[in-house]
Amino acid sequence: MGTVTGKITDRLANAPLGRLLLSLSLPSVASLITIALYNVIDTFWVARLGHEAIAALTIVLPFHILIIAVGLGTGIGINAWVSRSFGEGNIEVTNHTAGQIFYLSALFGIVFLAAAVYFTRPILTLLGATPDIMEYGVDYLSIIGFGTPFMFFGLMSSNLLRGSGEAVKPMIFMLVAQMLNIILDPFMILGIGPFAEMGVRGAALATVISQFIGAGLSFYYIVGRKSVFRIRPSHLWPDLSILRGIFRIGSPAIMVDMMEAVMFALFNFFLSRFGSVAIAGGGIALRIADLAFMPIFGVANGLLPIVGYCFGAGLWPRLWRAVKVTSLGLAGIMVVATIFFEIFAPQMVGIFSKDPELMALAVPAIRIVLSSLSLTALLIMFITAFEGLSKGRAVLALSLVRQVVFFLPALVILPRLMGTNGIWLSVPVSDVLGTVVAGVWLYREYRLHHRSGFGTDTAA
């Protein structure tokens, strides 16, 4: 096992940075784009049922983001903890950490399943569902709740494997699950072939099935001794010291993403004042925007284990060079992506609906929300650097500044002046200001390390 572990983790310290970043990032980018593509295709088929169905799925999104917040935030803690432990050469801790994902997935899954099944209508009311979309929302939320344990396991296991420097297998598992979801959608939504027409319930059931398959593949790979981890029964018991380490790193990320869910709910609440058509238009725009944002998060997944490993091994010059190369390179790519989305926004919206009212809302939404895409890329890279450095308080503070200090006031003030365009504008306003604050804070962190003598080594 030591040889296998060394082959996978040593490249975090020795491989050329550009090639390493690509090898760790591209699989994650591909899998996350597949998720975004699934959401786009899901919305495409649901759009055949009318704008109310699109609006219902959009209203449920904050609950879905909340699940991702807990699962992905915990996964970030696992990723950083595992990569740091590998850097320190503590293999027993990495195996014990791997065992914790089974307990955590079951715990969080049961909690969210119970909420989705027993508190469906109160949750939808809280999220801003209008009367004409309530029943669609009930059908969708009450079913996707059953997939939450599998979703948690998939998110945590993917980050566990990436923390060991293994990025391809998590990508494959996610791609298989999402492709299955994409294939099942039209059959289960519209009732093609032997399947009954289930509408939005079919979309939810297809999601649950795909999550089960994805989690099953990860389970087999980890338990079947295919990965670098060797889990014994004793590793499955909750270990408070490891859990504290995971959540010391991951809890700020959880809170950050939970704040995203709250802000998304407020986003929908303000949209609901303009009717379900406005919610549907925003839903279409946000699905397309996800295609732009997911590569950024994929690259962040590639950067995080490098920063975590270099932090654990004390490779400070390599750490800061990785942050610099990733940030500048990704920002440049996102400039090109922004131009593309600005030009072809009408054609993208037209894939879903030719309704003039929907088009009038969704097209400017895409153009405004994605206008600061390159700066958003920088913001995510800066936050990822703090996560890898185990600076959880900084991550939390930066999120609170961006969401509470910048986004929330913009969301309250701008719609009064500009209508729905003010809602869209609140996103780039908060991203631009948040990037400035995060950049200054990270540069200060770099200067502190440099003055401490950590930046004098010239090794790459």
Side-chain angles (χ1 to χ4, degrees):
M1 177 195 168
T3 303
V4 175
T5 302
K7 287 180 179 179
I8 294 177
T9 58
D10 283 354
R11 63 180 182 146
L12 295 173
N14 302 314
L17 271 178
R19 188 186 309 163
L20 179 62
L21 284 165
L22 286 175
S23 66
L24 292 177
S25 299
L26 289 181
S28 181
V29 169
S31 58
L32 289 173
I33 286 180
T34 303
I35 293 176
L37 187 61
Y38 150 70
N39 287 328
V40 169
I41 295 174
D42 193 36
T43 303
F44 172 82
W45 291 113
V46 169
R48 312 281 79 80
L49 307 175
H51 78 268
E52 294 88 354
I54 302 175
L57 267 62
T58 304
I59 281 293
V60 174
L61 266 178
F63 184 82
H64 190 71
I65 294 173
L66 189 61
I67 296 171
I68 295 176
V70 177
L72 190 58
T74 304
I76 286 172
I78 292 169
N79 186 320
W81 187 257
V82 165
S83 60
R84 178 178 175 179
S85 298
F86 272 126
E88 295 169 344
N90 198 336
I91 305 304
E92 176 62 20
V93 170
T94 66
N95 289 327
H96 211 151
T97 303
Q100 304 302 293
I101 70 173
F102 297 90
Y103 162 76
L104 292 172
S105 299
L107 175 64
F108 292 139
I110 291 172
V111 170
F112 279 87
L113 169 59
V117 172
Y118 294 107
F119 301 96
T120 314
R121 290 182 183 275
I123 289 173
L124 290 170
T125 301
L126 185 63
L127 295 178
T130 54
D132 58 335
I133 67 174
M134 178 62 76
E135 294 308 315
Y136 281 118
V138 169
D139 288 343
Y140 189 74
L141 179 58
S142 60
I143 293 177
I144 65 166
F146 288 93
T148 53
F150 311 125
M151 188 174 182
F152 279 120
F153 187 83
L155 290 168
M156 293 182 197
S157 60
S158 292
N159 275 281
L160 175 72
L161 294 173
R162 291 191 187 101
S164 69
E166 189 167 5
V168 175
K169 287 301 189 299
M171 175 198 71
I172 294 174
F173 301 153
M174 190 171 293
L175 286 177
V176 170
Q178 294 302 329
M179 290 305 298
L180 176 63
N181 202 338
I182 290 171
I183 293 170
L184 288 176
D185 258 348
F187 290 94
M188 304 188 77
I189 292 172
L190 303 178
I192 299 174
F195 295 90
E197 182 179 347
M198 300 179 65
V200 295
R201 289 177 296 172
L205 185 56
T207 299
V208 173
I209 293 172
S210 70
Q211 289 169 343
F212 173 77
I213 296 299
L217 292 171
S218 295
F219 177 86
Y220 173 76
Y221 187 72
I222 295 171
V223 174
R225 303 173 73 86
K226 307 292 184 182
S227 69
V228 299
F229 300 100
R230 297 294 180 263
I231 302 175
R232 300 192 301 270
S234 60
H235 293 149
L236 301 177
W237 291 100
D239 185 296
L240 292 181
S241 63
I242 292 178
L243 291 174
R244 279 196 296 268
I246 291 172
F247 287 106
R248 185 175 65 249
I249 301 170
S251 58
I254 293 174
M255 296 180 68
V256 166
D257 290 337
M258 287 179 67
M259 185 67 67
E260 292 280 353
V262 171
M263 292 301 153
F264 200 128
L266 290 172
F267 189 84
N268 283 339
F269 178 79
F270 279 91
L271 273 179
S272 67
R273 297 181 176 181
F274 299 92
S276 60
V277 177
I279 299 174
I284 290 175
L286 292 174
R287 267 30 171 233
I288 295 174
D290 276 346
L291 286 172
F293 289 128
M294 286 303 177
I296 297 174
F297 292 111
V299 173
N301 286 338
L303 176 63
L304 181 58
I306 298 175
V307 175
Y309 185 95
C310 292
F311 176 56
L315 302 174
W316 297 103
R318 181 175 174 85
L319 185 155
W320 290 115
R321 183 165 174 259
V323 174
K324 179 181 177 180
V325 169
T326 307
S327 300
L328 295 180
L330 185 61
I333 294 172
M334 289 300 109
V335 170
V336 178
T338 300
I339 296 172
F340 175 84
F341 284 106
E342 295 294 323
I343 294 173
F344 294 104
Q347 289 80 1
M348 292 179 182
V349 176
I351 295 173
F352 301 93
S353 175
K354 302 294 184 183
D355 186 313
E357 192 173 3
L358 276 177
M359 293 279 289
L361 287 162
V363 170
I366 294 172
R367 288 174 169 165
I368 295 172
V369 168
L370 296 181
S371 61
S372 60
L373 190 57
S374 58
L375 290 179
T376 303
L378 290 176
L379 174 62
I380 299 303
M381 293 308 104
F382 296 162
I383 290 175
T384 300
F386 280 115
E387 289 170 344
L389 290 167
S390 299
K391 298 284 185 178
R393 292 181 180 177
V395 173
L396 179 58
L398 289 172
S399 175
L400 290 175
V401 168
R402 173 174 169 258
Q403 300 288 7
V404 177
V405 178
F406 298 141
F407 179 74
L408 186 57
L411 189 60
V412 172
I413 296 171
L414 293 179
R416 297 180 180 180
L417 304 175
M418 306 173 64
T420 54
N421 284 343
I423 297 178
W424 318 137
L425 188 59
S426 63
V427 176
V429 166
S430 61
D431 282 348
V432 169
L433 296 175
T435 302
V436 172
V437 174
V440 171
W441 199 327
L442 186 62
Y443 181 73
R444 174 181 175 274
E445 188 72 22
Y446 166 77
R447 295 299 300 170
L448 289 174
H449 282 187
H450 188 74
R451 290 172 184 171
S452 300
F454 293 141
T456 57
D457 188 353
T458 59

Short mmCIF file of all heavy atoms in Angstrom, two decimals, residues 366-407:
data_model
loop_
_atom_site.label_atom_id
_atom_site.label_comp_id
_atom_site.label_asym_id
_atom_site.label_seq_id
_atom_site.Cartn_x
_atom_site.Cartn_y
_atom_site.Cartn_z
N ILE A 366 -28.75 36.31 -17.85
CA ILE A 366 -27.49 35.66 -18.19
C ILE A 366 -26.39 36.69 -18.39
O ILE A 366 -25.28 36.57 -17.86
CB ILE A 366 -27.66 34.80 -19.46
CG1 ILE A 366 -28.60 33.64 -19.19
CG2 ILE A 366 -26.31 34.29 -19.95
CD1 ILE A 366 -28.98 32.87 -20.43
N ARG A 367 -26.69 37.71 -19.17
CA ARG A 367 -25.67 38.70 -19.50
C ARG A 367 -25.17 39.47 -18.28
O ARG A 367 -23.99 39.78 -18.16
CB ARG A 367 -26.21 39.65 -20.56
CG ARG A 367 -26.34 39.00 -21.93
CD ARG A 367 -27.02 39.90 -22.93
NE ARG A 367 -26.88 39.36 -24.30
CZ ARG A 367 -27.60 39.75 -25.33
NH1 ARG A 367 -28.52 40.71 -25.17
NH2 ARG A 367 -27.41 39.21 -26.53
N ILE A 368 -26.08 39.78 -17.37
CA ILE A 368 -25.68 40.55 -16.19
C ILE A 368 -24.97 39.67 -15.17
O ILE A 368 -23.91 40.02 -14.64
CB ILE A 368 -26.92 41.24 -15.56
CG1 ILE A 368 -27.49 42.28 -16.52
CG2 ILE A 368 -26.54 41.89 -14.23
CD1 ILE A 368 -28.82 42.87 -16.06
N VAL A 369 -25.53 38.50 -14.87
CA VAL A 369 -24.96 37.61 -13.85
C VAL A 369 -23.54 37.18 -14.23
O VAL A 369 -22.66 37.10 -13.37
CB VAL A 369 -25.87 36.38 -13.65
CG1 VAL A 369 -25.15 35.31 -12.83
CG2 VAL A 369 -27.17 36.79 -12.95
N LEU A 370 -23.30 36.92 -15.52
CA LEU A 370 -22.00 36.42 -15.95
C LEU A 370 -21.03 37.51 -16.38
O LEU A 370 -19.94 37.21 -16.86
CB LEU A 370 -22.19 35.42 -17.10
CG LEU A 370 -22.95 34.15 -16.75
CD1 LEU A 370 -23.06 33.23 -17.94
CD2 LEU A 370 -22.30 33.42 -15.58
N SER A 371 -21.40 38.75 -16.19
CA SER A 371 -20.53 39.86 -16.63
C SER A 371 -19.23 39.93 -15.82
O SER A 371 -18.23 40.46 -16.32
CB SER A 371 -21.28 41.19 -16.51
OG SER A 371 -21.66 41.44 -15.17
N SER A 372 -19.21 39.40 -14.61
CA SER A 372 -18.01 39.46 -13.76
C SER A 372 -17.40 38.07 -13.56
O SER A 372 -16.77 37.79 -12.54
CB SER A 372 -18.36 40.06 -12.39
OG SER A 372 -19.33 39.26 -11.73
N LEU A 373 -17.55 37.21 -14.56
CA LEU A 373 -17.15 35.80 -14.43
C LEU A 373 -15.67 35.65 -14.10
O LEU A 373 -15.28 34.80 -13.27
CB LEU A 373 -17.48 35.06 -15.72
CG LEU A 373 -17.36 33.53 -15.71
CD1 LEU A 373 -18.22 32.92 -14.62
CD2 LEU A 373 -17.76 32.97 -17.06
N SER A 374 -14.81 36.44 -14.73
CA SER A 374 -13.36 36.30 -14.48
C SER A 374 -13.01 36.67 -13.04
O SER A 374 -12.15 36.05 -12.42
CB SER A 374 -12.57 37.18 -15.44
OG SER A 374 -12.94 38.54 -15.33
N LEU A 375 -13.69 37.67 -12.49
CA LEU A 375 -13.44 38.04 -11.10
C LEU A 375 -14.01 37.01 -10.14
O LEU A 375 -13.44 36.76 -9.07
CB LEU A 375 -14.02 39.43 -10.80
CG LEU A 375 -13.31 40.60 -11.48
CD1 LEU A 375 -14.00 41.91 -11.13
CD2 LEU A 375 -11.84 40.65 -11.07
N THR A 376 -15.12 36.39 -10.52
CA THR A 376 -15.67 35.31 -9.70
C THR A 376 -14.67 34.16 -9.61
O THR A 376 -14.51 33.54 -8.56
CB THR A 376 -16.99 34.80 -10.30
OG1 THR A 376 -17.90 35.90 -10.42
CG2 THR A 376 -17.60 33.72 -9.42
N ALA A 377 -13.98 33.88 -10.72
CA ALA A 377 -12.96 32.83 -10.73
C ALA A 377 -11.85 33.15 -9.73
O ALA A 377 -11.40 32.28 -8.97
CB ALA A 377 -12.39 32.67 -12.14
N LEU A 378 -11.41 34.40 -9.72
CA LEU A 378 -10.38 34.80 -8.77
C LEU A 378 -10.87 34.64 -7.34
O LEU A 378 -10.15 34.14 -6.46
CB LEU A 378 -9.98 36.25 -9.01
CG LEU A 378 -9.18 36.54 -10.28
CD1 LEU A 378 -8.94 38.05 -10.41
CD2 LEU A 378 -7.86 35.80 -10.30
N LEU A 379 -12.11 35.03 -7.09
CA LEU A 379 -12.68 34.94 -5.74
C LEU A 379 -12.67 33.50 -5.24
O LEU A 379 -12.25 33.23 -4.11
CB LEU A 379 -14.11 35.49 -5.75
CG LEU A 379 -14.91 35.36 -4.45
CD1 LEU A 379 -14.24 36.13 -3.33
CD2 LEU A 379 -16.34 35.84 -4.66
N ILE A 380 -13.11 32.56 -6.08
CA ILE A 380 -13.17 31.16 -5.68
C ILE A 380 -11.77 30.61 -5.43
O ILE A 380 -11.54 29.84 -4.50
CB ILE A 380 -13.90 30.32 -6.74
CG1 ILE A 380 -15.34 30.82 -6.92
CG2 ILE A 380 -13.91 28.85 -6.34
CD1 ILE A 380 -16.16 30.82 -5.66
N MET A 381 -10.79 30.99 -6.26
CA MET A 381 -9.42 30.51 -6.06
C MET A 381 -8.84 31.06 -4.75
O MET A 381 -8.14 30.35 -4.03
CB MET A 381 -8.53 30.92 -7.24
CG MET A 381 -8.86 30.26 -8.56
SD MET A 381 -8.97 28.45 -8.50
CE MET A 381 -10.77 28.25 -8.55
N PHE A 382 -9.11 32.32 -4.44
CA PHE A 382 -8.61 32.90 -3.20
C PHE A 382 -9.20 32.16 -1.99
O PHE A 382 -8.49 31.84 -1.03
CB PHE A 382 -8.97 34.39 -3.13
CG PHE A 382 -8.32 35.23 -4.19
CD1 PHE A 382 -8.81 36.50 -4.49
CD2 PHE A 382 -7.21 34.78 -4.90
CE1 PHE A 382 -8.20 37.30 -5.46
CE2 PHE A 382 -6.60 35.56 -5.88
CZ PHE A 382 -7.10 36.82 -6.15
N ILE A 383 -10.50 31.90 -2.04
CA ILE A 383 -11.15 31.20 -0.93
C ILE A 383 -10.62 29.77 -0.81
O ILE A 383 -10.40 29.26 0.30
CB ILE A 383 -12.68 31.19 -1.14
CG1 ILE A 383 -13.23 32.62 -0.94
CG2 ILE A 383 -13.36 30.23 -0.17
CD1 ILE A 383 -14.71 32.76 -1.23
N THR A 384 -10.37 29.10 -1.96
CA THR A 384 -9.82 27.75 -1.94
C THR A 384 -8.44 27.74 -1.28
O THR A 384 -8.10 26.81 -0.54
CB THR A 384 -9.71 27.20 -3.37
OG1 THR A 384 -11.02 27.17 -3.96
CG2 THR A 384 -9.13 25.80 -3.38
N ALA A 385 -7.64 28.76 -1.55
CA ALA A 385 -6.32 28.86 -0.92
C ALA A 385 -6.45 28.91 0.60
O ALA A 385 -5.71 28.22 1.33
CB ALA A 385 -5.58 30.09 -1.44
N PHE A 386 -7.39 29.70 1.10
CA PHE A 386 -7.59 29.78 2.55
C PHE A 386 -8.08 28.44 3.10
O PHE A 386 -7.70 28.04 4.21
CB PHE A 386 -8.61 30.87 2.87
CG PHE A 386 -8.02 32.25 2.87
CD1 PHE A 386 -8.43 33.20 1.95
CD2 PHE A 386 -7.06 32.62 3.81
CE1 PHE A 386 -7.89 34.47 1.94
CE2 PHE A 386 -6.51 33.89 3.81
CZ PHE A 386 -6.93 34.83 2.88
N GLU A 387 -8.92 27.71 2.35
CA GLU A 387 -9.38 26.40 2.79
C GLU A 387 -8.22 25.43 2.91
O GLU A 387 -8.10 24.68 3.89
CB GLU A 387 -10.42 25.85 1.81
CG GLU A 387 -11.76 26.57 1.87
CD GLU A 387 -12.69 26.18 0.74
OE1 GLU A 387 -12.21 25.59 -0.26
OE2 GLU A 387 -13.89 26.48 0.84
N GLY A 388 -7.33 25.42 1.91
CA GLY A 388 -6.18 24.53 1.95
C GLY A 388 -5.20 24.89 3.06
O GLY A 388 -4.50 24.01 3.59
N LEU A 389 -5.17 26.16 3.44
CA LEU A 389 -4.31 26.62 4.54
C LEU A 389 -4.96 26.41 5.90
O LEU A 389 -4.39 26.82 6.91
CB LEU A 389 -3.99 28.11 4.35
CG LEU A 389 -3.05 28.46 3.19
CD1 LEU A 389 -3.06 29.96 2.93
CD2 LEU A 389 -1.63 27.99 3.49
N SER A 390 -6.14 25.78 5.91
CA SER A 390 -6.90 25.54 7.15
C SER A 390 -7.28 26.84 7.84
O SER A 390 -7.41 26.89 9.07
CB SER A 390 -6.10 24.64 8.12
OG SER A 390 -5.85 23.38 7.54
N LYS A 391 -7.49 27.90 7.04
CA LYS A 391 -7.90 29.20 7.57
C LYS A 391 -9.43 29.30 7.49
O LYS A 391 -9.98 30.11 6.73
CB LYS A 391 -7.24 30.33 6.78
CG LYS A 391 -5.72 30.34 6.86
CD LYS A 391 -5.23 30.86 8.20
CE LYS A 391 -3.72 30.97 8.23
NZ LYS A 391 -3.24 31.53 9.52
N GLY A 392 -10.09 28.48 8.29
CA GLY A 392 -11.55 28.42 8.22
C GLY A 392 -12.22 29.72 8.59
O GLY A 392 -13.24 30.10 8.00
N ARG A 393 -11.68 30.43 9.56
CA ARG A 393 -12.30 31.69 9.98
C ARG A 393 -12.22 32.73 8.87
O ARG A 393 -13.16 33.52 8.70
CB ARG A 393 -11.61 32.21 11.24
CG ARG A 393 -11.87 31.34 12.47
CD ARG A 393 -11.18 31.91 13.70
NE ARG A 393 -11.43 31.09 14.88
CZ ARG A 393 -10.90 31.32 16.07
NH1 ARG A 393 -10.11 32.37 16.26
NH2 ARG A 393 -11.18 30.52 17.09
N ALA A 394 -11.13 32.71 8.14
CA ALA A 394 -11.01 33.65 7.02
C ALA A 394 -12.03 33.34 5.94
O ALA A 394 -12.64 34.25 5.36
CB ALA A 394 -9.59 33.59 6.44
N VAL A 395 -12.21 32.04 5.65
CA VAL A 395 -13.21 31.63 4.66
C VAL A 395 -14.60 32.10 5.07
O VAL A 395 -15.36 32.66 4.27
CB VAL A 395 -13.20 30.10 4.49
CG1 VAL A 395 -14.34 29.65 3.58
CG2 VAL A 395 -11.87 29.64 3.91
N LEU A 396 -14.93 31.90 6.34
CA LEU A 396 -16.25 32.30 6.84
C LEU A 396 -16.41 33.82 6.79
O LEU A 396 -17.45 34.33 6.37
CB LEU A 396 -16.42 31.79 8.27
CG LEU A 396 -17.74 32.15 8.96
CD1 LEU A 396 -18.93 31.63 8.16
CD2 LEU A 396 -17.76 31.60 10.38
N ALA A 397 -15.38 34.53 7.20
CA ALA A 397 -15.46 36.00 7.22
C ALA A 397 -15.63 36.55 5.82
O ALA A 397 -16.44 37.46 5.59
CB ALA A 397 -14.21 36.58 7.88
N LEU A 398 -14.90 36.00 4.85
CA LEU A 398 -15.00 36.47 3.47
C LEU A 398 -16.39 36.22 2.91
O LEU A 398 -16.94 37.03 2.17
CB LEU A 398 -13.94 35.79 2.60
CG LEU A 398 -12.49 36.23 2.84
CD1 LEU A 398 -11.53 35.34 2.07
CD2 LEU A 398 -12.31 37.69 2.44
N SER A 399 -16.96 35.09 3.26
CA SER A 399 -18.31 34.78 2.79
C SER A 399 -19.34 35.74 3.39
O SER A 399 -20.23 36.23 2.69
CB SER A 399 -18.68 33.35 3.15
OG SER A 399 -20.02 33.08 2.80
N LEU A 400 -19.20 36.00 4.68
CA LEU A 400 -20.14 36.91 5.34
C LEU A 400 -20.05 38.31 4.75
O LEU A 400 -21.07 38.99 4.55
CB LEU A 400 -19.87 36.94 6.84
CG LEU A 400 -20.23 35.67 7.61
CD1 LEU A 400 -19.79 35.78 9.06
CD2 LEU A 400 -21.73 35.39 7.53
N VAL A 401 -18.83 38.74 4.46
CA VAL A 401 -18.65 40.06 3.85
C VAL A 401 -19.34 40.11 2.49
O VAL A 401 -20.08 41.04 2.17
CB VAL A 401 -17.15 40.41 3.71
CG1 VAL A 401 -16.96 41.62 2.82
CG2 VAL A 401 -16.55 40.67 5.09
N ARG A 402 -19.09 39.08 1.66
CA ARG A 402 -19.65 39.06 0.32
C ARG A 402 -21.17 38.98 0.33
O ARG A 402 -21.86 39.71 -0.39
CB ARG A 402 -19.07 37.88 -0.46
CG ARG A 402 -19.70 37.65 -1.83
CD ARG A 402 -18.97 36.56 -2.58
NE ARG A 402 -19.70 36.14 -3.76
CZ ARG A 402 -20.42 35.04 -3.85
NH1 ARG A 402 -20.50 34.23 -2.81
NH2 ARG A 402 -21.06 34.73 -4.95
N GLN A 403 -21.70 38.09 1.16
CA GLN A 403 -23.14 37.83 1.14
C GLN A 403 -23.94 38.85 1.94
O GLN A 403 -24.95 39.36 1.46
CB GLN A 403 -23.43 36.42 1.68
CG GLN A 403 -22.77 35.30 0.90
CD GLN A 403 -23.43 35.09 -0.45
OE1 GLN A 403 -24.30 35.85 -0.85
NE2 GLN A 403 -23.01 34.06 -1.16
N VAL A 404 -23.51 39.10 3.17
CA VAL A 404 -24.29 39.95 4.07
C VAL A 404 -24.00 41.43 3.84
O VAL A 404 -24.92 42.26 3.80
CB VAL A 404 -24.03 39.57 5.54
CG1 VAL A 404 -24.79 40.49 6.48
CG2 VAL A 404 -24.40 38.11 5.79
N VAL A 405 -22.73 41.77 3.68
CA VAL A 405 -22.35 43.19 3.55
C VAL A 405 -22.62 43.71 2.14
O VAL A 405 -23.04 44.86 1.96
CB VAL A 405 -20.87 43.38 3.93
CG1 VAL A 405 -20.46 44.85 3.74
CG2 VAL A 405 -20.63 42.95 5.36
N PHE A 406 -22.40 42.85 1.12
CA PHE A 406 -22.51 43.33 -0.27
C PHE A 406 -23.78 42.83 -0.97
O PHE A 406 -24.56 43.63 -1.50
CB PHE A 406 -21.28 42.89 -1.07
CG PHE A 406 -19.99 43.47 -0.57
CD1 PHE A 406 -18.83 42.70 -0.56
CD2 PHE A 406 -19.92 44.77 -0.10
CE1 PHE A 406 -17.64 43.23 -0.09
CE2 PHE A 406 -18.74 45.30 0.37
CZ PHE A 406 -17.59 44.53 0.37
N PHE A 407 -24.02 41.50 -0.97
CA PHE A 407 -25.11 40.95 -1.76
C PHE A 407 -26.49 41.32 -1.21
O PHE A 407 -27.37 41.76 -1.97
CB PHE A 407 -24.98 39.43 -1.84
CG PHE A 407 -26.09 38.76 -2.63
CD1 PHE A 407 -26.12 38.85 -4.02
CD2 PHE A 407 -27.09 38.05 -1.99
CE1 PHE A 407 -27.14 38.24 -4.75
CE2 PHE A 407 -28.11 37.44 -2.71
CZ PHE A 407 -28.12 37.54 -4.09
#
